[in-house]
Amino acid sequence: MAGPSALPEITDQRISDLLERVPRSSFVDGAFLGGNPSLPVLDPATGAALTTVVDADATTVGPRALDAAVAAQDDWAATLPRERSDILRRAYELCHERADDLALAMTLEMGKPLKEAYGEVTYGAEFLRWFSEEAVRLPGRFRHAPSADAAVLTVPHPVGPTLLITPWNFPLSMGTRKIGPALAAGCTVVLKPAQKTPLTSLLLMEVLAEAGVPAGVVNAVVTSDSTGLSSTLMADARLRKVSFTGSTPVGRTLLSQASEHVLKSSMELGGNAPFLVLPSADVEVAVTAAMLGKYRNNGEACTAANRFYVHSSVAEDFTRRLVEETEKLVVGPGVEAGTTLGPLIDEAGLAKVEDLVADAVERGARVLTGGTRLDRAGFFYAPTVLADVPREARVNREEIFGPVAPIIVLDDVDEMVAAANDTEFGLMAYAMGENLTETADVAGRIESGMVAVNVGVASDPSAPFGGVKESGLGREGSHEGLAEFLETTYVRLPL
């Protein structure tokens, strides 16, 4: 997910120009609604407001957006798959043409280093390209019934209008990962972007409109009243699917609401990813993967390595090298050249990381590097490595969402696997080892929807993304991601 070979210089004028041009209101039925901007969008590098956006009334603008999606549904479903494919392909190309704006908007409102933001443009756009190709390969089959002179015909149909709720940590790719398959399948969309990072999503609305998405097919409601929006729309029987990425508690609430009309549901929920360094691990490979798996996106990823279980035979070398590499990170605003770790999203996120580290230290953990917020404007926390972390520490039970690596040394591989599975979550896991038999065995026993072996990132638009246990339902990306937006009709035909 590399950005351009040379990052552009970001000046105050460049930032001002972008903020002047970016839309600042909900997008409904092919138009931005306008209004009086009152909802601040903060710059996490300073804590000050970047701009303000219009805070839509969820109970009036939400139904208006659903009305538009319902009105557009039949025509969009009847659109030829090739036409839907061409529109998505054009949106992919436009994302790359507008990479400078999209990347800068992400860095400003979310805080990630600019190089990583360009990487997200590449990654997020790839969902549009992947599903442009999947749009012309909708599933379906025709076969002879085994015991009758009849045919079994299966026909896919779009599930219908959908509510897509995205988080703040990947403002572009979380939108494209949901919108891409919805449009490819023939579904219309109401998008609820995160309140903290709406600007990138609104730029995406411009991209989709210019690419040729008809009015009403994609709508976006920017509001601080997330609960009001979801409860209002999910109580409407015309809505037929909800897709959510976020915390497990919120996911449980949405699933409960979805039961009223038996909505088709996709949930990508919390993570608590174990990172296992096995006896056969190449320590250099493991540390490289750990740096990416832990500190990418400022540590604010559901797939981030959360708990490090390191075999005693390699623990000393791994820990020493991880500390050395962690101390090389350059902390600063994402727009500054050379920054490799940006701020956390807000004061609440920063305070949570502080509390988790304090709890671990109170229980006996040692701080090897970092361990404190930085004395500067914004929401910065020093990249941190903890040793001798007790198993009962909160940092091993809760999703950190910050740049903290807690290390637990264990003597037995079976004990490492048991510790990895001792959680209600099961989204992502990492296994480091050069012994193929041992590593494959461990990867097969970890209770997780995804396992990365000897690498720090596994996300790929062509691969199914999702978790088990309380980390969610369904998959995004790949062929499975398209199926989440389809229903199947079985037709029996006499022969």
Side-chain angles (χ1 to χ4, degrees):
M1 298 199 308
S5 56
L7 295 178
E9 180 184 0
I10 304 301
T11 63
D12 290 344
Q13 186 61 51
R14 173 78 177 87
I15 293 171
S16 177
D17 289 346
L18 175 63
L19 294 177
E20 182 69 25
R21 288 185 284 107
V22 68
R24 294 192 291 160
S25 64
S26 297
F27 183 78
V28 176
D29 203 16
F32 292 101
L33 299 183
N36 180 33
S38 61
L39 183 64
V41 179
L42 299 185
D43 178 355
T46 65
L50 284 166
T51 187
T52 55
V53 296
V54 178
D55 189 2
D57 179 6
T59 59
T60 57
V61 177
R64 182 175 169 184
L66 182 58
D67 287 344
V70 170
Q73 177 59 53
D74 287 347
D75 285 346
W76 182 245
T79 301
L80 290 176
R82 176 58 67 192
E83 185 175 345
R84 297 200 296 266
S85 172
D86 289 345
I87 289 172
L88 286 168
R89 177 67 188 215
R90 178 57 180 150
Y92 158 79
E93 293 166 351
L94 284 170
C95 280
H96 282 283
E97 290 176 17
R98 300 183 183 175
D100 289 346
D101 282 357
L102 290 167
L104 180 55
M106 277 188 277
T107 291
L108 291 173
E109 64 180 348
M110 182 268 157
K112 69 183 68 185
L114 190 61
K115 183 178 180 180
E116 291 188 20
Y118 274 100
E120 186 176 341
V121 173
T122 300
Y123 176 58
E126 196 63 27
F127 283 104
L128 300 173
R129 178 162 71 166
W130 172 262
F131 286 110
S132 75
E133 296 162 347
E134 289 295 285
V136 295
R137 297 179 179 87
L138 297 179
R141 63 183 184 272
F142 181 94
R143 62 179 174 81
H144 200 292
S147 303
D149 195 15
V152 173
L153 175 66
T154 59
V155 183
H157 296 285
V159 67
T162 65
L163 171 61
L164 310 180
I165 306 173
T166 56
W168 51 262
N169 55 337
F170 290 94
L172 179 67
S173 60
M174 295 299 96
T176 59
R177 193 162 76 183
K178 296 179 188 295
I179 293 172
L183 298 190
C187 297
T188 56
V189 166
V190 177
L191 175 71
K192 166 59 179 74
Q195 173 187 337
K196 297 171 185 174
T197 57
L199 304 181
T200 307
S201 295
L202 294 175
L203 287 172
L204 178 59
M205 294 300 104
E206 286 189 325
V207 165
L208 293 170
E210 185 172 334
V213 176
V217 172
V218 176
N219 309 274
V221 179
V222 177
T223 179
S224 61
D225 186 8
S226 300
T227 300
L229 181 68
S230 60
S231 60
T232 298
L233 297 193
M234 292 172 70
D236 191 319
R238 298 176 302 167
L239 186 74
R240 294 312 310 145
K241 177 177 172 65
V242 60
S243 176
F244 170 72
T245 297
S247 72
T248 296
V250 174
R252 291 193 192 101
T253 298
L254 292 174
L255 284 171
S256 177
Q257 293 174 345
S259 68
E260 180 179 355
H261 294 297
V262 196
L263 291 183
K264 193 175 180 73
S265 302
S266 302
M267 298 281 152
E268 193 263 282
L269 306 177
N272 188 8
F275 190 103
L276 279 64
V277 185
L278 302 172
S280 66
D282 180 318
V283 171
E284 184 175 346
V285 169
V287 169
T288 298
M291 293 298 295
L292 192 55
K294 177 70 264 183
Y295 298 116
R296 182 178 70 103
N297 214 58
N298 308 336
E300 296 169 313
C302 55
T303 56
N306 214 65
R307 304 165 287 149
F308 289 77
Y309 297 114
V310 184
H311 194 271
S312 56
S313 62
V314 294
E316 183 178 352
D317 194 13
F318 175 82
T319 301
R320 176 180 55 80
R321 295 195 192 187
L322 182 63
V323 170
E324 290 173 352
E325 293 303 311
T326 297
E327 291 178 342
K328 294 178 184 177
L329 291 171
V330 178
V331 182
V335 295
E336 288 188 1
T339 291
T340 54
L341 187 77
L344 298 181
I345 188 64
D346 57 17
E347 177 60 33
L350 180 56
K352 178 185 177 182
V353 172
E354 282 188 304
D355 288 346
L356 290 174
V357 171
D359 172 79
V361 171
E362 288 172 7
R363 296 175 187 268
R366 293 184 295 119
V367 176
L368 301 183
T369 188
T372 184
R373 75 161 65 200
L374 299 185
D375 185 16
R376 59 184 298 173
F379 311 116
F380 292 92
Y381 195 86
T384 298
V385 179
L386 303 176
D388 302 332
V389 180
R391 294 275 288 274
E392 66 274 13
R394 286 174 53 203
V395 77
N396 288 319
R397 297 291 176 184
E398 301 178 25
E399 194 169 21
I400 300 170
F401 246 59
V404 178
I407 295 176
I408 298 174
V409 178
L410 299 173
D411 296 321
D412 180 76
V413 171
D414 288 338
E415 187 181 8
M416 295 171 71
V417 173
N421 291 337
D422 184 21
T423 175
E424 67 269 33
F425 300 108
L427 181 63
M428 185 73 196
Y430 302 84
M432 305 292 122
E434 298 300 311
N435 183 309
L436 180 60
T437 300
E438 175 186 66
T439 307
D441 173 69
V442 166
R445 287 194 286 151
I446 294 177
E447 298 168 352
S448 180
M450 300 173 285
V451 180
V453 176
N454 291 333
V455 292
V457 175
S459 300
D460 186 321
S462 69
F465 186 104
V468 300
K469 299 194 287 189
E470 294 189 26
S471 283
L473 301 170
R475 294 294 184 269
E476 295 184 314
S478 192
H479 317 297
E480 291 89 342
L482 183 64
E484 296 286 344
F485 290 87
L486 294 171
E487 298 285 13
T488 299
T489 297
Y490 154 49
V491 179
R492 191 170 185 86
L493 298 174
L495 294 177

